Amino acid sequence: MAIAEPAEIPAEIFPARLVDPDLVEVGRRLFAREARFITGTAEASALPRDNLPEVAFAGRSNVGKSSLLNALTGRRALARTSNTPGRTRQINFFDLDARLMLVDLPGYGYAEAPRTEIGRWTALLRRYLETRTALRRVCVLVDSRHGIKEIDHPLMRLLDASGVSYQIVLTKTDKVGSGELALIAERTAAELATHPAAHPEIHLTSALERRGIAALRASLGSFALSADRGGAGATAIEYAPR
Ligand code: GDP
């Protein structure tokens, strides 16, 4: 009988590495729990308390952020909440099993966005990044067909300046061949090396084909409160604005 190999999740992380099967299982269980919409706000003064470790998702509009959030949480419409008119320019908060806060940051790069709106968005984001002490990681989503673009630079500069740890998650990998994907990943890694707050690891995902989802769950799950500190039995958490 063959000896069980360590769980390798091929082509889900660049540079490729083995993912601890225990972490995959922890991530799977965590993301199988209910993600509860807490609030959406465009006002820095109305941000909920940050009493849970937090991971945030950002990217230009249409990058596949809603699809990825839905794939991660196994829900069809979790992030539709964020895509409904009026909510797209807000920061939306989802509590995952009272152990991790998932934060959907507004998409940027709307061609038609007026300058005043871009200014408001930047101010809100800056305030968010400066004040969230529980923010552990920002996933910056980038379309794998294009790699990091000029449009992503203001966000990356803001993250570097605020010292918030961030990582690139390539989306829609089903749309590129493996050779092209490897090239984009290498180019992306080379660019990340020049950004002080960027994590060197890149996640390669396809919400459509559910690639890279298990590895990303494993990676983000490591920021969650452990099951015995949070979860169903934990003390109810207050989300009143501070
Ligand atoms: P958002 O604006 O960043 O929230 O992007 P959406 O999740 O709404 O996706 C934008 C478009 O890309 C939609 O047409 C999705 O169906 C498509 N899309 C999202 N993820 C994937 C993916 O993994 N593969 C492919 N082929 N298309 C995707």
Side-chain angles (χ1 to χ4, degrees):
M1 206 161 92
I3 297 169
E5 293 284 323
E8 183 167 9
I9 303 186
E12 293 199 350
I13 295 178
F14 182 90
R17 69 166 169 90
L18 298 178
V19 180
D20 181 342
D22 290 343
L23 286 183
V24 172
E25 181 57 14
V26 167
R28 187 191 68 75
R29 285 195 196 171
L30 174 67
F31 281 86
R33 304 303 298 263
E34 192 194 352
R36 195 161 56 95
F37 176 70
I38 298 301
T39 188
T41 179
E43 300 298 326
S45 57
L47 292 170
R49 281 168 200 251
D50 52 350
N51 43 10
L52 279 184
E54 213 159 276
V55 292
F57 299 81
R60 67 161 180 77
S61 59
N62 221 33
V63 71
K65 182 158 53 70
S66 311
S67 305
L68 185 74
L69 275 166
N70 289 340
L72 279 172
T73 55
R75 296 256 307 255
R76 260 201 230 149
L78 177 86
R80 196 187 319 140
T81 327
S82 330
N83 266 349
T84 47
R87 288 242 170 99
T88 53
R89 313 294 160 90
Q90 296 183 341
I91 300 182
N92 292 299
F93 294 82
F94 301 90
D95 168 333
L96 186 57
D97 197 30
R99 293 171 53 200
L100 186 67
M101 189 75 91
L102 304 178
V103 183
D104 187 4
L105 298 172
Y108 49 86
Y110 288 95
E112 77 283 9
R115 266 186 170 283
T116 47
E117 191 162 307
I118 295 171
R120 253 203 313 271
W121 181 86
T122 311
L124 175 65
L125 189 66
R126 179 170 289 135
R127 179 74 191 277
Y128 170 77
L129 295 176
E130 281 169 356
T131 56
R132 301 305 274 189
T133 49
L135 182 58
R136 298 285 182 268
R137 181 66 55 86
V138 175
C139 293
V140 178
L141 276 50
V142 167
D143 192 315
S144 58
R145 292 169 296 178
H146 313 305
I148 296 170
K149 289 283 181 203
E150 191 52 45
I151 206 167
D152 302 306
H153 286 160
L155 172 67
M156 291 170 72
R157 278 198 294 269
L158 205 55
L159 289 162
D160 285 327
S162 1
V164 173
S165 167
Y166 63 101
Q167 68 184 84
I168 299 294
V169 176
L170 292 180
T171 61
K172 310 188 191 182
T173 58
D174 57 282
K175 290 204 175 200
V176 293
S178 54
E180 197 186 338
L181 182 58
L183 257 172
I184 291 275
E186 268 168 37
R187 210 184 302 151
T188 305
E191 176 163 355
L192 289 182
T194 66
H195 289 269
H199 194 275
E201 199 162 270
I202 300 166
H203 281 261
L204 314 177
T205 67
S206 161
L208 189 73
E209 296 188 345
R210 308 191 53 74
R211 280 190 223 157
I213 304 301
L216 189 54
R217 283 177 178 158
S219 168
L220 300 180
S222 66
F223 297 116
L225 294 182
S226 59
D228 51 358
R229 286 189 55 204
T235 320
I237 290 179
E238 274 292 320
Y239 289 107
R242 21 178 193 196

